[in-house]
Amino acid sequence: MTSAPIYLDNHATTRPDPRVLEAMWPYFTTIYGNAASASHRFGWEASEAVEKAREQVAALLGAEDPREIIFTSGASEANNLALKGGLPSLRRKGNHVITSAVEHKSVLGALRRLGQEGWEVTVVPVDEFGQVRVEAVEAAMTERTVLVSVMAANNEVGTINPLGAIGALCRDRGVVLHSDATQAVGKVPLSVVSDGVGLLALTAHKFYGPKGIGALYARRGEPRARLTAQIDGGGHERGLRGGTLAVPLIVGLGAACEIARREGLAEAARVACLRDRLHAGIASRVDTIRLNGHPTERLAGNLNLSFGYVDGEALMMSMREIAVSSGSACTSANPEPSHVLTAMGLDEDLARASLRFGVGRFNTEGEIDAAVEVVATAVARLRAHSAAYGGGVATSVHGERFDEAVQ
Ligand code: PLP
């Protein structure tokens, strides 16, 4: 049997922490009641567990009131609930929404649909590092702006946005700030109160919790978007999201939040060391590479690199020993280059020449060193067949584009 590849795709999803699984197990086996069953102990115990998890999520986000947490199936649903469910209540104030060019498809898609329903959506550009500038948001604001949607950290290049500054601007203008914080929660300290965030989406599977569970934080104070349920049902989650609560998953989300709250900072430092080791190792073996994303304001585990003279997809496919992602969304027969990389100014070739490495909690130094070897060997093999590659001398147009940012 061949051994499993080294997992370096922690932005796509993470391996559940054994402590999370341990916390969940009793809710599959003995405490399996429906949290809405108010007439017996099975229900009460399930409901208590749900409320404890709600407190754990609220504590990680710095929320004032656990009732501001609504459990959903994940971040896609939370983003949809925030935007489709939140905007109608703001319509009397205006019909203008601002978002950024590098948001996840669950935000851009929801806003596209709202655009068809009469909402005016301004998509602000990002800088060369993929960061949303507060000045760009301010310049896009009009009298009719009611909501700004900016992600806390980007899923491809890891760039962290200045949420506090954007939140302060929104607060001053009485505008609601929605943030898709899927990649940031558990990785960077967040405080919905001091960052001025009114709506925030998260999902457990990005920070060592189970898949299929997430939450929306919805501020009860002003400025406030009053939500309309997108899934009608039996009045669960105070009527905001119908459906029997997934108690084991909710317990897992709560446990993941608790671990992140206690260990997040130390973990980020350790993961950043591994990520920097990976970067330095690749840079010492491979020429003509370019770092995509912010050099410092970036998620600890993120390393997105463009490799000159190779196609990212071909490179990824030639490295069976490691699990990484390429810079194109291969959801169709003709893979589109990443909308994030192109929004940052990379042309299609450069975007296609990129790979995303995501280092996480369970990676080791040994794995990082082995990954460096795999990458260096695979790039050398592919470049050996490249007529344009001149032994590392950036002589072609393709090579010149790497000069400024050669790492
Ligand atoms: N937002 C961002 C930035 C993401 O990276 C993802 C995950 O791919 C999502 C939203 C969607 O999360 P979920 O899988 O929980 O729907």
Side-chain angles (χ1 to χ4, degrees):
M1 204 177 84
T2 53
S3 58
I6 298 167
Y7 192 71
L8 288 171
D9 203 10
N10 282 281
H11 301 297
T13 195
T14 55
R15 175 178 139 197
D17 191 298
R19 294 169 289 180
V20 167
L21 297 177
E22 203 180 314
M24 290 169 64
W25 187 241
Y27 296 90
F28 284 114
T29 51
T30 51
I31 317 170
Y32 47 78
N34 186 326
S37 297
S39 55
H40 52 70
R41 214 177 96 189
F42 293 91
W44 303 330
E45 285 181 358
S47 169
E48 266 168 38
V50 167
E51 295 319 312
K52 179 180 167 200
R54 207 183 296 281
E55 283 168 17
Q56 289 168 316
V57 178
L60 180 65
L61 300 180
E64 280 171 345
D65 185 342
R67 288 177 301 173
E68 295 175 316
I69 307 300
I70 302 143
F71 291 115
T72 64
S73 62
S76 298
E77 188 192 330
N79 284 330
N80 274 271
L81 176 58
L83 298 169
K84 294 177 186 163
L87 278 170
S89 72
L90 302 169
R91 188 65 183 244
R92 69 201 145 74
K93 290 192 191 162
N95 70 336
H96 182 231
V97 181
I98 297 170
T99 191
S100 89
V102 297
E103 298 298 313
H104 187 260
K105 294 286 166 75
S106 57
V107 168
L108 293 175
L111 288 177
R112 191 174 314 117
R113 200 176 288 277
L114 288 159
Q116 292 159 358
E117 292 167 13
W119 286 89
E120 207 183 294
V121 182
T122 300
V123 181
V124 296
V126 291
D127 66 14
E128 61 187 306
F129 303 123
Q131 199 170 49
V132 181
R133 306 289 272 267
V134 65
E135 298 82 8
V137 176
E138 188 166 17
M141 279 193 170
T142 73
E143 292 284 290
R144 314 241 340 124
T145 308
V146 293
L147 184 138
V148 170
S149 177
V150 170
M151 67 201 324
N154 184 265
N155 46 305
E156 293 189 31
V157 295
T159 296
I160 298 169
N161 281 318
L163 222 50
I166 297 171
L169 170 70
C170 289
R171 202 187 290 124
D172 283 353
R173 307 285 178 101
V175 167
V176 175
L177 173 60
H178 162 252
S179 186
D180 173 3
T182 302
Q183 295 287 343
V185 168
K187 319 275 171 58
V188 290
L190 285 174
S191 162
V192 284
V193 174
S194 49
D195 288 340
V197 177
L199 295 162
L200 181 144
L202 61 88
T203 190
H205 75 96
K206 304 286 187 183
F207 60 109
Y208 314 99
K211 291 164 188 56
I213 188 70
L216 176 67
Y217 158 83
R219 179 170 58 206
R220 291 166 78 88
E222 295 297 330
R224 177 179 186 187
R226 287 175 190 276
L227 298 174
T228 306
Q230 299 302 292
I231 301 175
D232 291 312
H236 308 87
E237 297 298 84
R238 296 186 319 287
L240 295 175
R241 200 270 189 181
T244 299
L245 291 176
V247 180
L249 300 182
I250 289 171
V251 168
L253 168 60
C257 287
E258 183 76 36
I259 294 168
R261 197 168 62 82
R262 280 191 273 110
E263 303 175 7
L265 271 183
E267 177 170 285
R270 193 184 75 82
V271 166
C273 272
L274 291 176
R275 185 270 315 269
D276 292 343
R277 184 182 181 98
L278 178 64
H279 191 184
I282 293 174
S284 72
R285 301 277 304 275
V286 183
D287 59 62
T288 326
I289 59 170
R290 178 199 144 109
L291 174 70
N292 300 314
H294 200 284
T296 53
E297 285 155 53
R298 198 162 100 250
L299 291 172
N302 181 276
L303 181 64
N304 188 309
L305 297 175
S306 291
F307 292 83
Y309 309 100
V310 295
D311 177 73
E313 196 71 14
L315 178 57
M316 191 179 71
M317 299 310 283
S318 72
M319 300 188 300
R320 297 287 176 193
E321 306 90 334
I322 62 173
V324 295
S325 279
S326 77
S328 50
C330 31
T331 46
S332 65
N334 179 22
E336 288 289 312
S338 141
H339 72 288
V340 173
L341 297 176
T342 49
M344 288 163 58
L346 275 72
D347 64 28
E348 291 200 5
D349 282 352
L350 262 185
R352 285 209 166 88
S354 81
L355 284 188
R356 178 187 71 182
F357 300 84
V359 180
R361 179 175 294 173
F362 300 109
N363 288 122
T364 62
E365 274 190 7
E367 286 182 331
I368 297 297
D369 295 345
V372 168
E373 189 61 42
V374 169
V375 174
T377 309
V379 173
R381 197 168 45 225
L382 285 175
R383 283 183 180 171
H385 301 293
S386 161
Y389 180 66
V393 185
T395 49
S396 74
V397 176
H398 195 174
E400 277 154 23
R401 286 176 297 171
F402 289 80
D403 285 353
E404 284 166 44
V406 170
Q407 301 294 314

